[in-house]
Amino acid sequence: MWCSSLRYKYIFCYFITAIRRRSTTSEKLRFIFVVLRAQDGQLRQRFAQDARENRADGVFRLKVSRVEEVQAAVLRFFKVIVFEIRGHERVAARGEDFVNRAAAAAAADGDTGYADSINILVYPDYVSEDVLAAFEQEYGIQVNITYLSYEEDNITRVETGDDFDIINPCQETVHQMLQENLLQKIDKSKIPNLANLYDEFNTYDYPGEEDYSVPYMCGSMSIIVNKDTCPIEITKWSDLADPALKGQIVSTDIDRRFVATTLAENGFDPNSENQADLDAVFDWLCQFNSNVKVYDNGAPRTSLENGDCSVAFTYTTDYVLVKQEDPDGNYELITLPDGWYSRGEWMLAIPASSTKAEEAELLINYIHDAKNYADNVMKYPGVPVNEACIAYLTDEYKELFKAFDIPESANFFTLSSLSSESLEMYDLFISNVMASSNS
């Protein structure tokens, strides 16, 4: 006897019978819905009594106002029974099987209560394919992934009408997209796993941003060298413009954060809105540009690993990934004790054009489940914004994670909001740098 309560078994058996009858999804759910609703008052009393008798930790509540909400409610109902009434361990094990069979049956009928698919635009090496596959299996929603090449793609792909339901902008891009009304509000009541975040990541740099984006991951930029092939010793930021490194560097794009670091390293305000300050670092940036063999925002470490370049200015994540396959210790992370650092924060947001906000919020909540987030960050390392995931991280990863530590003696800056005129000034300035010869 797998359950001491015949009432639980009775309802489970009705559920299985409904699946075996292979009725349509709507008939199946209406059948279960009627059974539950017809006995609503008595059923609650029976469950409450059984819960007391079996020292259960909780009693279910099922409230459904519209027929089209039934399927999700029924699946939630069984999960509540499974996980709240913890005194019945065998029921939990069997109950999970029932929930999985119910979801599979609903998916086979072609109607899970959700859209068939959603489209996401994210950076490579940022969201674990395994986590997404598990989400697809649990909810029957196919996740179509497009990878970002440039931060600006978050804006241009949405502006040009591409069909995305989740995008992956940094905080500064979220701010810009809000000004252009390109994002829609997120119903955070549908994302209870946001409670897993560190408190500091539930605050936002820009007013109103908290309604339109969810923190996903933090990261920093680093210099990585191949110790065997790098022609010089790099000890400071200015070394990146040494002519000896011509054709030796792979780098992410020169963007505002890169310019801000260069300004700070030369004694200027990293958020300067003064054209003269930019002009003062123009020649250095042009020399750096001439040293760059390839710009790569996707996976810069590739040019390091295949020997095309001996120096990479890239995401710290890349160092963690190359070290996992570096038994000879060829790669070194360059620490600049007196250097300037900034830590970027990347978000998840829903474009204003998306018609699948419910599915997008469901996926965001799934990603921020503590274990799912831990699985994700161990595959594609970054600075977690999810505090609850720490309990699931392996000791090996925690050791690798030290690469993200910024030296205590280092200087730290945060990018602040600039006027539209200043942003245009930066865009033109960077364009002129990139137009300088790098042949």
Side-chain angles (χ1 to χ4, degrees):
M1 187 81 158
W2 58 270
C3 178
S4 62
S5 168
L6 291 177
R7 295 182 185 86
Y8 292 132
K9 186 175 182 181
Y10 176 78
I11 294 172
F12 283 149
C13 286
Y14 264 107
F15 193 52
I16 295 302
T17 299
I19 294 174
R20 287 177 176 171
R21 288 172 58 187
R22 300 190 64 79
S23 58
T24 65
T25 302
S26 59
E27 290 173 345
K28 176 199 329 175
L29 296 174
R30 194 172 294 116
F31 172 73
I32 299 168
F33 178 68
V34 170
V35 169
L36 294 177
R37 293 284 291 185
Q39 304 181 52
D40 191 58
Q42 294 180 350
L43 199 60
R44 281 202 299 270
Q45 294 177 8
R46 291 174 183 173
F47 266 88
Q49 181 180 348
D50 285 341
R52 287 193 297 271
E53 291 175 356
N54 294 286
R55 298 184 299 279
D57 296 318
V59 181
F60 83 101
R61 292 290 184 269
L62 177 63
K63 295 182 180 180
V64 179
S65 58
R66 297 186 307 170
V67 172
E68 59 264 28
E69 295 174 355
V70 173
Q71 180 160 4
V74 168
L75 293 180
R76 285 197 299 269
F77 166 78
F78 278 102
K79 288 183 181 180
V80 172
I81 297 299
V82 169
F83 296 117
E84 286 196 349
I85 305 183
R86 299 182 184 91
H88 301 291
E89 294 183 2
R90 285 175 295 173
V91 173
R94 183 67 66 89
E96 284 189 53
D97 179 56
F98 285 151
V99 170
N100 291 335
R101 291 171 66 180
D109 284 338
D111 181 6
T112 63
Y114 298 110
D116 293 337
S117 65
I118 58 174
N119 304 317
I120 67 173
L121 179 67
V122 296
Y123 279 101
D125 299 345
Y126 231 56
V127 181
S128 168
E129 296 82 359
D130 296 334
V131 171
L132 295 180
F135 172 82
E136 291 178 328
Q137 182 175 5
E138 180 165 347
Y139 292 101
I141 302 171
Q142 179 177 323
V143 181
N144 303 314
I145 310 174
T146 300
Y147 291 113
L148 284 160
S149 297
Y150 305 97
E151 178 64 27
E152 293 77 12
D153 286 351
N154 285 290
I155 299 175
T156 57
R157 298 293 293 269
V158 172
E159 282 182 328
T160 55
D162 285 355
D163 182 20
F164 291 110
D165 305 298
I166 295 177
I167 56 174
N168 187 199
C170 67
Q171 272 194 315
E172 295 77 28
T173 300
V174 169
H175 178 62
Q176 186 175 347
M177 295 185 78
L178 281 177
Q179 292 178 319
E180 299 178 22
N181 298 315
L182 294 175
L183 301 177
Q184 63 177 278
K185 279 191 175 182
I186 296 175
D187 184 352
K188 294 194 173 180
S189 69
K190 302 286 184 62
I191 313 177
N193 283 332
L194 290 182
N196 292 335
L197 271 60
Y198 288 99
D199 289 341
E200 65 185 279
F201 293 112
N202 271 318
T203 59
Y204 295 79
D205 293 340
Y206 303 108
E209 183 187 343
E210 65 275 10
D211 294 327
Y212 293 86
S213 62
V214 169
Y216 174 60
M217 194 80 73
C218 275
S220 56
M221 307 300 291
S222 294
I223 302 169
I224 308 171
V225 301
N226 184 322
K227 295 185 293 184
D228 293 336
T229 58
C230 183
I232 66 169
E233 181 182 7
I234 298 176
T235 60
K236 54 188 181 298
W237 181 259
S238 60
D239 288 339
L240 293 174
D242 190 313
L245 293 179
K246 187 174 181 66
Q248 292 288 323
I249 299 176
V250 55
S251 176
T252 57
D253 285 345
I254 295 178
D255 56 10
R256 187 188 157 205
R257 192 179 301 276
F258 190 96
V259 174
T261 304
T262 305
L263 285 167
E265 290 281 353
N266 284 274
F268 299 106
D269 179 0
N271 293 297
S272 176
E273 298 184 73
N274 188 333
Q275 180 68 56
D277 293 348
L278 294 179
D279 291 342
V281 298
F282 181 78
D283 288 343
W284 185 93
L285 287 166
C286 288
Q287 180 59 53
F288 171 82
N289 182 47
S290 71
N291 287 349
V292 174
K293 183 174 184 177
V294 59
Y295 286 102
D296 183 353
N297 277 9
R301 69 179 183 279
T302 302
S303 295
L304 200 64
E305 291 175 313
N306 64 20
D308 285 348
C309 298
S310 63
V311 180
F313 178 77
T314 182
Y315 318 105
T316 307
T317 295
D318 272 356
Y319 175 73
V320 178
L321 292 173
V322 298
K323 288 302 291 182
Q324 290 175 333
E325 300 179 7
D326 181 31
D328 298 327
N330 293 327
Y331 301 109
E332 180 181 5
L333 181 71
I334 302 301
T335 301
L336 305 178
D338 298 319
W340 284 85
Y341 289 82
S342 72
R343 182 165 281 167
E345 186 175 339
W346 278 263
M347 320 295 284
L348 297 174
I350 304 175
S353 56
S354 172
T355 59
K356 302 175 183 177
E358 181 180 7
E359 290 78 10
E361 289 157 354
L362 189 69
L363 177 54
I364 293 171
N365 189 61
Y366 189 84
I367 288 172
H368 270 301
D369 170 84
K371 187 177 185 309
N372 292 340
Y373 193 95
D375 290 344
N376 189 86
V377 81
M378 284 190 290
K379 182 168 184 177
Y380 296 132
V383 180
V385 302
N386 187 311
E387 183 177 18
C389 84
I390 303 301
Y392 296 93
L393 298 180
T394 64
D395 291 339
E396 179 185 9
Y397 177 78
K398 289 177 182 177
E399 185 65 29
L400 288 169
F401 180 72
K402 293 178 181 178
F404 291 95
D405 291 344
I406 294 176
E408 292 184 4
S409 60
N411 304 288
F412 189 81
F413 73 86
T414 300
L415 290 181
S416 63
S417 178
L418 299 181
S419 67
S420 57
E421 292 80 6
S422 293
L423 289 174
E424 290 178 3
M425 177 181 70
Y426 271 84
D427 287 343
L428 179 59
F429 176 78
I430 292 171
S431 295
N432 289 336
V433 170
M434 298 301 295
S436 65
S437 174
N438 65 348
S439 58

